[in-house]
Amino acid sequence: MQAQRHRRSGRQQRLRWSCSLTLLLAPASQAAVFAPGTEPDPATGDVPAAIDRPASEPLRVPGFQWTVAPWRRMGTLSLDGRWMKMEDGRVSRQALAFGDIEWASYLWQPWFLQMRFGLGLMAERDTETGGEGLGDSSSASTNGTLTGRVSLALFPASRFPFEFRADVGDNRVNGDALGDTLRTQRVTLSQSYRPETGVGSLHLQIDHSKLSSPDSVDVLTNVQANADHRFGDHSVEIGTHHSINTRSDTADSTELSSIVARHSLHRGPDAQLDNIFTWNDQRLRGEGLRPYDFGSEVRQFTSVVNWRPREGEPLYHEHMPLQWVGSLRWIESRALGDADVGTSARALSGTLGANLDLTPSWRLAGSLSASQVDGGTRAPVANTSSGAASLSWSPVGLPLGSWRYAPAASLTLAVTQGGDQPQRRLTGLQGTHSLSRDWALTERQQIALTLSQSAAVLQETLSPEPSRALAHSLGLFWQSAGDGSSQRYANLSISDSRTRAVVNSSFQMVNLQLNQRAQSSRDTSWSINLTLQATRNESTEVDAFTGLRRPQGTGWQQFYSGGGSLEQQRLFGVPRLRHTLQLNLNSQQIERRALGDIDAPRERISSSLESRVDYMIGRLEMRLLARLARVDDSSVATVVARLLRRF
């Protein structure tokens, strides 16, 4: 009897395990495990009936819920008083009240859809007096405006994030007003993709920006797309950009388009092939007193191959490494517009060169090239071929006491034959030497000095006499590093080149760079960065160093850029009372909306000096700001007082 009971118990246990495995492997069992819903109350209780899902519901997957997380709210309320004086004598006094509130949440899960919304209301009282030819006249106005923003991020942490941003702002709200009131509108769409396996990415971004002032409207639309992929030894990159910028005050418009495609093949460090295709199209239009419409289109393909024979390959030599370089280039340009419709030019050129290191100090180089230029209807087809060979000597620097001496010399022979033009032969001899030395003033401070001199003689068959050139340069470098709280750097370079030929010429350049960061105390730090450059070029003859003709300049050309800042965390020893003094200088406007830079300012700000005092007590912030700026060649002085409360 006992043996029979043991056999029945074993059969029942095996039956329970078989049923359990069957339930786990069944598809319905898996659906039951992951399906949302209420679990049975007791282990043996009844399972609630399944809820009928309406067919009209657009999205329904197991576990998904159309649920928005509790909204997080934040906002600010500020009161501003402003005084502004223009160069033409106008004085503006503004009283401004601004309040905004922002909500942030997410749908279902933070990784699925993140949402952010903002809304602001501004009321302003503006009184303006004076101005050229206006005497003591004054005007007053009261206005209000709305600001808002929205941001949606779908799958922000995935391989294919999508983002949508829209913003409507006002430069009076954030204190950036430098003269005219400026309303900003911007919409951005961004989509990226990265495959699960492999190396590559896709990115698309569309930006639309509109800057509106009482006198003008500046609109810029940008479209950018980039893709790259790598497979084996190959890599492919493609990028495209298109921008349209229009301004109502000048009735000008600029349209820029470009495509860049690159293919690279790397067969180890000694063999590489690069193929690059570029297409650039620009169009400028104006509808003012003198309407104009012109532009250009340039297409170019370049292929460059580098090969250095390795051991076991032809032309390999253990003690005399050889490097081959070949290139093929095709370019076509076309003029667009009313005056020169269809005017185009084409050029095709190929080059094959080699470098042979005879010894560590001697190198032999040679090249052959051929080109064809078709000027279209303006010039006949011109075929040109040339060959060049050079021998250069560049030994390892020699120590001369505390100095280091480095000489170098080269001899160049070149022949150029072009169509009906007479053969042009060039013979050039160039030599240079330099002296350099370092001085360690202290453990953290050193000075470096470099002096160099170069001389060259170039004989050209088209020139009645040889060109002789002599150049000198001086470089002075100073660096100091404190105990971790300060860094200083200064660099001064001066160069002078003079050529004696049929017409004497000269070229000079002076460049000065200063950079310093210092922590003068626990609560005070300051920094300075400055670049000054001046050049002068008076040359129309062949440069003896390069064999090229330089365009003639007019006098000295100056350029400067830089700035400085002083930050005090505890002004007069008062906690949370901060002072910031900031200076910015720039003689050239590099960022321009007409060139497709959507973050560039509408005005040209050549100089700005700002002093700002901030004080925080909990969520209460106070600010006093004074600024003197040079905007579009006119001076603007501004004083702003702000009281802001965060909640």
Side-chain angles (χ1 to χ4, degrees):
M1 293 293 293
Q2 187 175 1
Q4 292 179 359
R5 284 196 299 268
H6 280 297
R7 285 194 296 270
R8 284 197 302 270
S9 177
R11 286 195 298 269
Q12 292 174 359
Q13 187 175 4
R14 287 193 297 271
L15 181 60
R16 286 196 298 268
W17 278 105
S18 301
C19 293
S20 300
L21 290 174
T22 304
L23 291 175
L24 288 175
L25 295 175
S29 175
Q30 291 186 3
V33 171
F34 295 99
T38 307
E39 294 291 338
D41 293 336
T44 58
D46 297 331
V47 178
I51 301 175
D52 294 334
R53 308 188 189 280
S56 60
E57 201 163 350
L59 178 62
R60 175 61 67 182
V61 296
F64 180 84
Q65 298 179 4
W66 284 99
T67 303
V68 178
W71 290 94
R72 293 184 293 112
R73 293 183 296 272
M74 61 208 78
T76 62
L77 179 62
S78 63
L79 301 175
D80 287 11
R82 302 182 183 184
W83 177 86
M84 188 178 302
K85 184 176 181 180
M86 313 295 181
E87 186 176 5
D88 58 3
R90 289 181 298 157
V91 176
S92 175
R93 298 177 180 86
Q94 300 175 353
L96 184 145
F98 176 74
D100 75 329
I101 186 170
E102 186 173 285
W103 298 270
S105 183
Y106 58 87
L107 178 63
W108 185 30
Q109 298 290 340
W111 57 263
F112 181 70
L113 177 62
Q114 297 178 5
M115 303 174 292
R116 187 178 294 268
F117 304 93
L119 182 64
L121 175 62
M122 184 189 69
E124 179 197 33
R125 174 69 176 178
D126 188 359
T127 303
E128 185 174 306
T129 60
E132 293 181 357
L134 299 178
D136 297 331
S137 62
S138 63
S139 61
S141 62
T142 302
N143 58 74
T145 187
L146 289 173
T147 64
R149 56 194 174 276
V150 58
S151 174
L152 301 175
L154 182 63
F155 304 119
S158 68
R159 296 182 291 107
F160 37 86
F162 171 81
E163 187 175 7
F164 168 78
R165 298 192 305 270
D167 182 270
V168 178
D170 195 293
N171 64 345
R172 294 168 293 180
V173 173
N174 51 24
D176 292 337
L178 289 173
D180 293 335
T181 300
L182 190 65
R183 293 277 294 173
T184 62
Q185 302 176 26
R186 182 170 177 177
V187 178
T188 301
L189 290 171
S190 175
Q191 176 69 68
S192 300
Y193 172 75
R194 180 175 55 85
E196 185 175 359
T197 59
V199 179
S201 64
L202 294 172
H203 180 73
L204 172 65
Q205 182 165 323
I206 303 175
D207 283 293
H208 178 77
S209 171
K210 181 179 180 181
L211 307 181
S212 305
S213 67
D215 300 327
S216 68
V217 176
D218 189 313
V219 180
L220 174 62
T221 302
N222 264 353
V223 179
Q224 293 181 342
N226 298 280
D228 62 88
H229 184 63
R230 184 174 180 178
F231 50 98
D233 298 332
H234 299 263
S235 62
V236 179
E237 301 176 13
I238 300 177
T240 180
H241 173 261
H242 180 72
S243 67
I244 302 177
N245 176 240
T246 59
R247 291 192 62 165
S248 62
D249 56 344
T250 59
D252 295 337
S253 66
T254 304
E255 184 174 354
L256 305 176
S257 302
S258 66
I259 297 176
V260 179
R262 177 171 183 170
H263 165 259
S264 298
L265 173 62
H266 295 266
R267 292 293 176 89
D270 299 323
Q272 179 177 345
L273 172 65
D274 289 307
N275 299 312
I276 304 174
F277 172 79
T278 61
W279 174 75
N280 293 276
D281 182 275
Q282 60 178 1
R283 198 69 177 260
L284 307 178
R285 298 181 179 89
E287 300 177 358
L289 297 177
R290 296 182 177 180
Y292 61 88
D293 184 356
F294 63 91
S296 65
E297 180 186 10
V298 179
R299 290 178 289 177
Q300 179 176 301
F301 174 79
T302 303
S303 181
V304 180
V305 59
N306 290 270
W307 176 58
R308 185 187 296 271
R310 294 179 293 181
E311 186 176 359
E313 296 180 345
L315 304 178
Y316 171 78
H317 194 283
E318 181 180 1
H319 302 291
M320 290 189 297
L322 176 66
Q323 182 179 6
W324 291 89
V325 179
S327 66
L328 180 65
R329 183 182 182 185
W330 170 82
I331 183 172
E332 181 181 17
S333 63
R334 186 164 61 96
L336 306 174
D338 300 332
D340 299 315
V341 176
T343 303
S344 62
R346 300 176 184 85
L348 178 64
S349 63
T351 302
L352 178 63
N355 294 323
L356 179 63
D357 293 337
L358 303 175
T359 67
S361 301
W362 289 90
R363 170 175 289 187
L364 180 64
S367 65
L368 296 174
S369 62
S371 63
Q372 183 183 77
V373 179
D374 183 1
T377 58
R378 292 191 173 185
V381 177
N383 296 310
T384 304
S385 59
S386 63
S390 66
L391 179 65
S392 60
W393 172 68
S394 179
V396 179
L398 305 174
L400 296 178
S402 301
W403 294 80
R404 186 178 183 85
Y405 178 71
S410 65
L411 173 65
T412 303
L413 303 175
V415 178
T416 302
Q417 181 67 50
D420 298 334
Q421 299 295 326
Q423 189 181 77
R424 181 189 179 199
R425 295 187 298 273
L426 291 175
T427 303
L429 179 62
Q430 181 178 343
T432 180
H433 59 144
S434 63
L435 277 173
S436 60
R437 182 180 177 181
D438 298 337
W439 289 273
L441 303 181
T442 63
E443 294 182 356
R444 297 185 177 92
Q445 189 173 178
Q446 67 175 8
I447 294 178
L449 175 65
T450 301
L451 301 170
S452 65
Q453 183 184 55
S454 302
V457 178
L458 179 67
Q459 177 63 58
E460 182 188 12
T461 54
L462 300 181
S463 178
E465 63 179 76
S467 299
R468 299 174 295 274
L470 184 64
H472 298 84
S473 65
L474 178 147
L476 183 61
F477 171 84
W478 172 74
Q479 184 178 10
S480 175
D483 53 356
S485 61
S486 63
Q487 293 181 348
R488 300 177 181 89
Y489 165 85
N491 185 23
L492 174 65
S493 61
I494 303 174
S495 61
D496 175 83
S497 175
R498 299 180 183 273
T499 302
R500 298 291 180 265
V502 178
V503 178
N504 298 332
S505 59
S506 63
F507 176 78
Q508 293 83 32
M509 184 179 69
V510 179
N511 185 278
L512 175 63
Q513 292 182 344
L514 300 173
N515 195 315
Q516 179 166 352
R517 297 178 181 272
Q519 186 83 25
S520 55
S521 66
R522 179 180 178 182
D523 302 319
T524 304
S525 62
W526 59 279
S527 65
I528 293 177
N529 63 89
L530 180 64
T531 298
L532 301 173
Q533 187 179 91
T535 60
R536 185 178 66 174
N537 180 22
E538 296 180 357
S539 175
T540 56
E541 293 301 303
V542 176
D543 184 7
F545 292 106
T546 62
L548 302 177
R549 297 180 182 272
R550 284 194 246 172
Q552 184 175 4
T554 56
W556 284 95
Q557 304 292 325
Q558 297 88 19
F559 167 77
Y560 61 86
S561 67
S565 65
L566 171 65
E567 296 184 2
Q568 297 171 284
Q569 298 298 325
R570 289 194 175 192
L571 185 62
F572 306 122
V574 179
R576 297 181 298 278
L577 182 62
R578 302 194 310 271
H579 173 247
T580 303
L581 180 65
Q582 190 167 1
L583 172 67
N584 292 313
L585 301 170
N586 198 337
S587 61
Q588 295 181 353
Q589 186 181 9
I590 301 176
E591 301 86 2
R592 296 185 180 181
R593 290 175 61 86
L595 299 179
D597 189 348
I598 203 164
D599 296 317
R602 186 179 66 95
E603 307 93 346
R604 178 177 176 268
I605 305 174
S606 56
S607 63
S608 175
L609 177 61
E610 177 182 313
S611 179
R612 185 175 72 248
V613 177
D614 296 281
Y615 186 52
M616 296 180 59
I617 305 177
R619 296 187 177 184
L620 186 65
E621 300 179 12
M622 290 174 284
R623 170 175 294 182
L624 180 62
L625 179 147
R627 178 190 295 154
L628 180 62
R630 190 77 178 172
V631 183
D632 291 335
D633 296 328
S634 299
S635 61
V636 179
T638 309
V639 176
V640 179
R642 165 171 289 189
L643 180 64
L644 183 143
R645 172 66 163 84
R646 298 185 183 275
F647 58 89

